[in-house]
Coordinates of all heavy atoms in Angstrom, one line a residue:
Chain A
D8 N 118.1 91.9 84.3 CA 117.2 92.8 84.9 C 115.9 92.9 84.2 O 114.8 93.1 84.8 CB 117.8 94.2 85.0 CG 119.0 94.3 86.0 OD1 119.3 93.3 86.6 OD2 119.6 95.4 86.1
D9 N 116.0 92.8 82.8 CA 114.7 93.0 82.0 C 113.8 91.8 82.2 O 112.6 91.9 81.9 CB 115.1 93.0 80.5 CG 115.9 94.3 80.2 OD1 115.8 95.2 80.9 OD2 116.6 94.2 79.1
F10 N 114.3 90.7 82.8 CA 113.5 89.5 83.1 C 113.2 89.4 84.6 O 112.7 88.4 85.0 CB 114.2 88.3 82.5 CG 114.4 88.3 81.0 CD1 115.5 88.9 80.5 CD2 113.4 87.9 80.2 CE1 115.6 89.0 79.1 CE2 113.5 87.9 78.8 CZ 114.7 88.5 78.3
G11 N 113.5 90.4 85.3 CA 113.1 90.5 86.7 C 114.0 89.6 87.6 O 113.7 89.4 88.8
Y13 N 117.1 89.6 89.7 CA 118.0 90.5 90.3 C 118.9 89.8 91.3 O 118.7 88.6 91.5 CB 117.2 91.6 91.1 CG 116.5 92.6 90.2 CD1 115.1 92.3 89.9 CD2 117.1 93.6 89.6 CE1 114.4 93.2 89.1 CE2 116.4 94.5 88.7 CZ 115.0 94.3 88.5 OH 114.4 95.1 87.7
E14 N 119.9 90.5 91.8 CA 120.8 90.0 92.8 C 120.0 89.3 93.9 O 119.0 89.8 94.3 CB 121.6 91.2 93.4 CG 122.7 90.9 94.3 CD 124.1 90.8 93.6 OE1 124.1 91.0 92.3 OE2 125.0 90.5 94.3
G15 N 120.6 88.2 94.4 CA 119.9 87.5 95.5 C 119.3 86.2 94.9 O 119.7 85.7 93.9
I16 N 118.2 85.8 95.6 CA 117.6 84.5 95.1 C 116.2 84.9 94.6 O 115.3 85.4 95.3 CB 117.4 83.5 96.2 CG1 118.8 83.2 96.8 CG2 116.8 82.2 95.7 CD1 118.8 82.1 97.9
S17 N 116.0 84.6 93.3 CA 114.7 84.8 92.7 C 113.9 83.5 92.7 O 114.4 82.5 92.4 CB 114.8 85.2 91.2 OG 115.5 86.4 91.1
E18 N 112.6 83.6 93.2 CA 111.8 82.5 93.3 C 111.1 82.3 91.9 O 110.2 83.1 91.5 CB 110.7 82.6 94.4 CG 111.3 82.9 95.8 CD 112.3 81.8 96.3 OE1 112.0 80.6 96.0 OE2 113.3 82.1 96.9
I67 N 109.1 83.3 85.2 CA 108.7 84.3 86.3 C 107.1 84.4 86.3 O 106.5 84.7 85.2 CB 109.3 85.7 85.9 CG1 110.8 85.6 85.6 CG2 109.0 86.7 87.1 CD1 111.6 85.0 86.7
T68 N 106.6 84.1 87.4 CA 105.1 84.3 87.6 C 104.8 84.7 89.0 O 105.5 84.4 89.9 CB 104.4 82.9 87.2 OG1 103.0 83.1 87.5 CG2 104.9 81.8 88.1
W69 N 103.6 85.3 89.1 CA 103.1 85.7 90.5 C 101.8 85.0 90.7 O 101.0 85.5 91.5 CB 102.9 87.3 90.5 CG 104.2 88.0 90.6 CD1 105.1 88.3 89.6 CD2 104.9 88.4 91.8 NE1 106.2 88.9 90.1 CE2 106.1 89.0 91.5 CE3 104.5 88.4 93.2 CZ2 107.0 89.6 92.4 CZ3 105.4 88.9 94.1 CH2 106.6 89.5 93.7
Q104 N 104.9 85.5 83.1 CA 105.1 86.8 82.6 C 106.3 86.9 81.6 O 106.3 87.6 80.6 CB 105.4 87.8 83.8 CG 104.2 88.2 84.5 CD 104.5 89.4 85.4 OE1 105.3 90.2 85.1 NE2 103.7 89.5 86.5
C105 N 107.3 86.1 82.0 CA 108.5 86.0 81.1 C 109.3 84.7 81.5 O 109.0 84.1 82.5 CB 109.4 87.2 81.1 SG 110.2 87.4 82.7
V132 N 109.7 87.9 76.9 CA 108.7 88.5 77.8 C 107.3 88.4 77.2 O 107.1 88.8 76.0 CB 109.0 90.0 77.9 CG1 107.9 90.7 78.7 CG2 110.4 90.2 78.7
K134 N 104.4 89.4 78.9 CA 103.7 90.6 79.4 C 104.3 91.2 80.6 O 104.9 90.5 81.4 CB 102.2 90.3 79.7 CG 102.1 89.2 80.8 CD 100.7 88.6 80.8 CE 100.8 87.3 81.7 NZ 99.7 86.4 81.6
C135 N 104.2 92.5 80.7 CA 104.7 93.2 81.9 C 103.4 93.6 82.7 O 102.6 94.4 82.2 CB 105.6 94.4 81.6 SG 106.3 95.1 83.1
L136 N 103.3 93.2 83.9 CA 102.1 93.6 84.8 C 102.6 94.3 86.0 O 103.5 93.8 86.7 CB 101.4 92.3 85.2 CG 100.6 91.5 84.2 CD1 100.0 90.3 84.8 CD2 99.5 92.4 83.6
I137 N 102.0 95.4 86.3 CA 102.4 96.1 87.6 C 101.6 95.4 88.7 O 100.5 95.0 88.5 CB 102.0 97.6 87.5 CG1 102.9 98.3 86.5 CG2 102.0 98.2 88.9 CD1 102.7 99.8 86.4
R138 N 102.3 95.2 89.8 CA 101.7 94.6 91.0 C 102.1 95.3 92.2 O 103.3 95.5 92.4 CB 102.2 93.2 91.1 CG 101.5 92.1 90.5 CD 102.1 90.8 91.0 NE 101.3 90.3 92.1 CZ 100.1 89.6 91.9 NH1 99.7 89.3 90.7 NH2 99.4 89.2 92.9
A139 N 101.2 95.7 93.1 CA 101.6 96.2 94.4 C 102.0 95.0 95.2 O 101.5 93.9 95.0 CB 100.4 96.9 95.1
P140 N 103.0 95.2 96.1 CA 103.4 94.1 97.0 C 102.1 93.6 97.8 O 101.4 94.5 98.3 CB 104.4 94.7 97.9 CG 104.9 95.9 97.2 CD 103.8 96.4 96.3
N141 N 102.0 92.3 98.0 CA 100.9 91.8 98.8 C 101.5 90.7 99.7 O 102.1 89.7 99.2 CB 99.8 91.2 97.9 CG 98.6 90.7 98.7 OD1 98.8 90.0 99.7 ND2 97.4 91.1 98.3
R142 N 101.3 90.9 101.0 CA 101.9 89.9 101.9 C 101.4 88.5 101.8 O 102.1 87.6 102.1 CB 101.7 90.4 103.4 CG 102.3 91.7 103.7 CD 101.8 92.3 105.1 NE 102.2 91.4 106.1 CZ 101.6 91.3 107.3 NH1 100.5 92.0 107.5 NH2 102.0 90.5 108.3
F144 N 100.8 86.8 99.0 CA 101.5 86.0 98.0 C 102.7 85.4 98.7 O 103.0 84.2 98.5 CB 101.9 86.9 96.8 CG 102.8 86.1 95.9 CD1 102.3 85.3 94.9 CD2 104.2 86.2 96.0 CE1 103.1 84.6 94.1 CE2 105.0 85.5 95.2 CZ 104.5 84.7 94.2
F145 N 103.5 86.3 99.4 CA 104.6 85.8 100.1 C 104.3 84.7 101.2 O 105.0 83.8 101.4 CB 105.3 87.0 100.7 CG 106.2 86.8 101.9 CD1 107.4 86.3 101.7 CD2 105.7 87.1 103.2 CE1 108.3 86.1 102.8 CE2 106.5 86.9 104.3 CZ 107.8 86.4 104.1
I148 N 104.1 81.4 99.5 CA 105.5 80.9 99.2 C 106.1 80.3 100.4 O 106.7 79.2 100.4 CB 106.4 82.1 98.6 CG1 105.8 82.7 97.4 CG2 107.8 81.6 98.4 CD1 106.0 81.9 96.2
E149 N 106.0 81.1 101.5 CA 106.6 80.6 102.8 C 105.9 79.3 103.3 O 106.6 78.4 103.7 CB 106.5 81.7 103.9 CG 107.3 82.9 103.6 CD 108.8 82.7 103.5 OE1 109.4 82.0 104.4 OE2 109.5 83.3 102.6
I152 N 107.2 76.4 101.4 CA 108.6 76.0 101.9 C 108.4 75.2 103.1 O 109.1 74.1 103.3 CB 109.4 77.2 102.1 CG1 109.8 77.9 100.7 CG2 110.7 76.9 102.8 CD1 110.4 79.3 100.8
Y172 N 101.3 81.6 108.5 CA 101.3 82.2 107.2 C 99.9 82.2 106.6 O 99.5 83.1 105.8 CB 102.4 81.6 106.2 CG 103.7 82.1 106.6 CD1 104.7 81.3 107.1 CD2 104.1 83.4 106.4 CE1 106.0 81.7 107.5 CE2 105.3 83.9 106.7 CZ 106.3 83.1 107.3 OH 107.5 83.6 107.6
I175 N 98.1 85.2 107.6 CA 98.5 86.4 106.7 C 97.7 86.3 105.4 O 97.2 87.3 104.9 CB 100.0 86.5 106.5 CG1 100.7 86.8 107.8 CG2 100.3 87.5 105.4 CD1 102.3 86.8 107.6
K178 N 94.1 87.3 105.9 CA 94.0 88.8 106.2 C 94.2 89.6 104.9 O 93.5 90.6 104.6 CB 94.9 89.2 107.3 CG 94.8 90.6 107.7 CD 95.8 91.0 108.8 CE 95.9 92.5 108.9 NZ 97.1 93.0 109.6
C179 N 95.3 89.3 104.1 CA 95.7 90.1 103.1 C 95.5 89.6 101.7 O 95.7 90.4 100.7 CB 97.3 90.4 103.2 SG 97.8 91.0 104.8
G180 N 95.0 88.4 101.5 CA 94.9 87.8 100.2 C 93.7 88.1 99.4 O 92.7 88.5 99.9
G181 N 93.8 87.9 98.1 CA 92.6 87.9 97.2 C 92.2 86.4 97.0 O 92.7 85.5 97.7
D182 N 91.3 86.2 96.1 CA 90.8 84.9 95.9 C 91.8 83.9 95.5 O 91.8 82.7 96.0 CB 89.7 84.9 94.8 CG 88.4 85.6 95.2 OD1 88.3 85.8 96.5 OD2 87.6 86.0 94.4
Chain B
D8 N 93.4 97.3 88.3 CA 94.3 96.2 88.0 C 95.5 96.8 87.2 O 96.7 96.3 87.4 CB 93.7 95.2 87.1 CG 92.6 94.3 87.8 OD1 92.4 94.5 89.0 OD2 92.0 93.5 87.1
D9 N 95.3 97.8 86.4 CA 96.4 98.4 85.6 C 97.5 99.0 86.5 O 98.6 99.3 86.1 CB 95.9 99.4 84.6 CG 95.0 98.8 83.6 OD1 95.1 97.6 83.4 OD2 94.2 99.5 83.0
F10 N 97.1 99.3 87.8 CA 98.0 100.0 88.7 C 98.5 99.0 89.8 O 99.1 99.4 90.8 CB 97.3 101.2 89.3 CG 96.9 102.2 88.3 CD1 95.7 102.2 87.7 CD2 97.8 103.2 88.0 CE1 95.4 103.1 86.7 CE2 97.5 104.2 87.0 CZ 96.3 104.1 86.4
G11 N 98.1 97.7 89.6 CA 98.7 96.7 90.4 C 97.9 96.5 91.7 O 98.4 95.9 92.7
Y13 N 95.2 94.9 93.5 CA 94.2 93.7 93.3 C 93.5 93.5 94.6 O 93.8 94.1 95.7 CB 95.0 92.5 92.9 CG 95.7 92.6 91.6 CD1 97.0 92.9 91.4 CD2 94.9 92.2 90.4 CE1 97.5 93.0 90.1 CE2 95.5 92.3 89.2 CZ 96.8 92.7 89.0 OH 97.4 92.8 87.8
E14 N 92.5 92.6 94.5 CA 91.8 92.1 95.7 C 92.7 91.8 96.9 O 93.8 91.2 96.7 CB 91.0 90.8 95.3 CG 90.0 90.3 96.2 CD 88.6 90.8 96.0 OE1 88.4 91.6 95.0 OE2 87.7 90.5 96.8
G15 N 92.3 92.1 98.1 CA 93.1 91.9 99.3 C 93.7 93.2 99.7 O 93.2 94.3 99.4
I16 N 94.8 93.1 100.4 CA 95.5 94.3 100.9 C 96.8 94.5 100.1 O 97.7 93.7 100.1 CB 95.8 94.2 102.4 CG1 94.5 93.9 103.2 CG2 96.5 95.5 102.9 CD1 94.7 93.9 104.7
S17 N 96.9 95.7 99.4 CA 98.1 96.0 98.7 C 99.0 96.9 99.6 O 98.5 97.9 100.2 CB 97.8 96.8 97.5 OG 97.1 96.0 96.6
E18 N 100.3 96.5 99.7 CA 101.2 97.3 100.5 C 101.7 98.5 99.7 O 102.5 98.2 98.7 CB 102.3 96.5 101.1 CG 101.9 95.2 101.9 CD 101.1 95.6 103.1 OE1 101.3 96.6 103.7 OE2 100.1 94.8 103.4
I67 N 102.9 102.8 94.2 CA 103.3 101.4 94.1 C 104.8 101.4 93.9 O 105.3 101.9 92.9 CB 102.6 100.7 92.9 CG1 101.1 100.9 93.0 CG2 103.0 99.2 92.9 CD1 100.4 100.4 94.2
T68 N 105.6 100.7 94.8 CA 107.0 100.6 94.6 C 107.5 99.3 95.2 O 106.9 98.8 96.1 CB 107.8 101.8 95.3 OG1 109.2 101.6 95.2 CG2 107.4 101.9 96.8
W69 N 108.6 98.9 94.7 CA 109.3 97.7 95.2 C 110.7 98.0 95.8 O 111.5 97.1 95.9 CB 109.4 96.6 94.2 CG 108.1 96.0 93.8 CD1 107.1 96.5 93.0 CD2 107.5 94.7 94.4 NE1 106.0 95.6 93.0 CE2 106.3 94.6 93.8 CE3 108.0 93.8 95.3 CZ2 105.5 93.5 94.2 CZ3 107.2 92.7 95.6 CH2 106.0 92.5 95.0
Q104 N 106.7 103.2 90.7 CA 106.3 102.6 89.4 C 105.1 103.2 88.9 O 104.9 103.5 87.7 CB 106.1 101.1 89.6 CG 107.4 100.3 89.6 CD 107.2 98.8 89.3 OE1 106.3 98.4 88.6 NE2 108.0 98.0 89.9
C105 N 104.1 103.4 89.8 CA 102.9 104.1 89.4 C 102.2 104.6 90.7 O 102.6 104.3 91.8 CB 101.9 103.2 88.6 SG 101.2 101.9 89.6
V132 N 101.1 105.8 85.4 CA 102.1 104.8 85.4 C 103.4 105.4 84.9 O 103.5 106.0 83.8 CB 101.7 103.6 84.4 CG1 102.9 102.6 84.3 CG2 100.5 102.9 84.9
K134 N 106.5 103.5 85.0 CA 107.2 102.5 84.3 C 106.7 101.1 84.8 O 106.3 101.0 85.9 CB 108.7 102.6 84.6 CG 109.0 102.5 86.1 CD 110.4 103.0 86.5 CE 110.5 103.2 88.0 NZ 111.6 103.9 88.5
C135 N 106.8 100.1 83.9 CA 106.4 98.8 84.3 C 107.7 97.9 84.3 O 108.4 97.9 83.3 CB 105.4 98.2 83.3 SG 104.8 96.6 83.8
L136 N 108.0 97.4 85.5 CA 109.2 96.6 85.6 C 108.8 95.2 86.0 O 108.0 94.9 86.9 CB 110.1 97.1 86.7 CG 110.8 98.4 86.5 CD1 111.5 98.8 87.8 CD2 111.8 98.3 85.4
I137 N 109.4 94.2 85.3 CA 109.2 92.8 85.6 C 110.1 92.5 86.8 O 111.2 92.9 86.9 CB 109.5 91.8 84.5 CG1 108.4 92.0 83.4 CG2 109.5 90.4 84.9 CD1 108.5 91.1 82.2
R138 N 109.6 91.7 87.8 CA 110.3 91.3 89.0 C 110.0 89.9 89.3 O 108.8 89.6 89.4 CB 109.8 92.1 90.2 CG 110.5 93.4 90.4 CD 110.1 93.9 91.8 NE 111.1 93.4 92.8 CZ 112.2 94.1 93.0 NH1 112.5 95.2 92.4 NH2 113.1 93.7 93.9
A139 N 111.0 89.1 89.5 CA 110.7 87.7 90.1 C 110.4 87.9 91.5 O 111.0 88.8 92.2 CB 111.9 86.8 89.9
P140 N 109.6 87.1 92.1 CA 109.4 87.2 93.6 C 110.7 86.9 94.3 O 111.5 86.1 93.9 CB 108.4 86.0 93.8 CG 107.7 85.7 92.5 CD 108.7 86.0 91.5
N141 N 110.9 87.7 95.3 CA 112.1 87.5 96.1 C 111.7 87.6 97.6 O 111.1 88.6 98.0 CB 113.1 88.6 95.8 CG 114.4 88.4 96.6 OD1 114.4 88.1 97.8 ND2 115.6 88.6 95.9
R142 N 112.0 86.5 98.3 CA 111.5 86.4 99.7 C 112.1 87.5 100.6 O 111.5 87.9 101.6 CB 111.9 85.1 100.3 CG 111.2 83.9 99.7 CD 111.9 82.6 100.1 NE 111.6 82.4 101.5 CZ 112.4 81.6 102.3 NH1 113.5 81.0 101.8 NH2 112.2 81.4 103.6
F144 N 112.5 90.7 99.9 CA 111.7 92.0 99.9 C 110.6 91.9 101.0 O 110.4 92.8 101.7 CB 111.1 92.2 98.5 CG 110.2 93.4 98.5 CD1 110.6 94.7 98.4 CD2 108.8 93.2 98.7 CE1 109.8 95.8 98.5 CE2 107.9 94.3 98.8 CZ 108.4 95.6 98.7
F145 N 109.9 90.7 101.0 CA 108.8 90.5 101.9 C 109.4 90.4 103.3 O 108.7 90.9 104.3 CB 108.0 89.3 101.6 CG 107.2 89.6 100.4 CD1 107.5 89.1 99.1 CD2 106.0 90.3 100.5 CE1 106.8 89.4 98.0 CE2 105.2 90.6 99.4 CZ 105.6 90.1 98.1
E149 N 107.9 92.5 106.4 CA 107.4 91.9 107.7 C 108.2 92.4 108.9 O 107.7 92.7 109.9 CB 107.6 90.4 107.6 CG 106.7 89.7 106.6 CD 105.2 89.8 106.8 OE1 104.8 89.6 108.0 OE2 104.5 90.0 105.8
I152 N 106.9 95.7 109.9 CA 105.6 95.6 110.7 C 105.9 95.2 112.1 O 105.4 95.8 113.1 CB 104.7 94.6 110.0 CG1 104.2 95.1 108.7 CG2 103.6 94.1 110.9 CD1 103.6 94.1 107.7
Y172 N 113.3 87.3 110.1 CA 113.1 87.8 108.8 C 114.5 88.4 108.3 O 114.8 88.3 107.1 CB 112.0 88.9 108.8 CG 110.7 88.2 108.8 CD1 109.8 88.3 109.9 CD2 110.2 87.5 107.7 CE1 108.6 87.7 109.9 CE2 109.0 86.8 107.7 CZ 108.2 86.9 108.8 OH 107.0 86.3 108.9
I175 N 116.2 85.7 106.5 CA 115.7 85.5 105.1 C 116.3 86.5 104.2 O 116.7 86.2 103.1 CB 114.1 85.6 105.1 CG1 113.5 84.4 105.8 CG2 113.6 85.6 103.6 CD1 112.0 84.3 105.9
K178 N 119.9 85.7 103.4 CA 120.0 84.5 102.5 C 119.5 84.9 101.1 O 120.2 84.4 100.1 CB 119.1 83.4 103.0 CG 119.2 82.1 102.2 CD 118.3 81.0 102.8 CE 118.2 79.9 101.8 NZ 117.0 79.0 102.1
C179 N 118.4 85.6 100.9 CA 117.8 85.8 99.6 C 117.9 87.1 99.0 O 117.6 87.3 97.9 CB 116.3 85.4 99.7 SG 115.9 83.8 100.4
G180 N 118.4 88.1 99.8 CA 118.4 89.5 99.3 C 119.5 89.9 98.4 O 120.5 89.3 98.4
G181 N 119.2 91.0 97.7 CA 120.3 91.7 97.0 C 120.8 92.9 97.9 O 120.4 93.0 99.1
D182 N 121.6 93.7 97.3 CA 122.2 94.8 98.1 C 121.1 95.7 98.7 O 121.2 96.2 99.9 CB 123.1 95.7 97.2 CG 124.4 94.9 96.9 OD1 124.7 93.9 97.6 OD2 125.1 95.3 95.9

Side-chain angles (χ1 to χ4, degrees):
Chain A
D8 290 0
D9 295 340
F10 298 88
Y13 293 96
E14 190 91 3
I16 304 183
S17 294
E18 303 301 324
I67 310 303
T68 175
W69 286 83
Q104 280 196 31
C105 69
V132 174
K134 59 197 163 195
C135 187
L136 288 177
I137 290 185
R138 270 190 95 85
N141 183 315
R142 295 170 64 205
F144 173 82
F145 156 76
I148 301 282
E149 296 295 316
I152 291 167
Y172 285 110
I175 292 180
K178 184 182 165 197
C179 305
D182 290 344
Chain B
D8 290 0
D9 295 340
F10 297 89
Y13 293 96
E14 189 91 3
I16 304 183
S17 294
E18 304 302 324
I67 311 303
T68 175
W69 287 83
Q104 279 196 32
C105 68
V132 174
K134 60 198 165 194
C135 187
L136 289 176
I137 290 184
R138 269 192 96 84
N141 183 315
R142 295 170 65 206
F144 174 82
F145 288 100
E149 297 295 318
I152 291 168
Y172 285 110
I175 293 179
K178 184 181 166 199
C179 304
D182 290 343

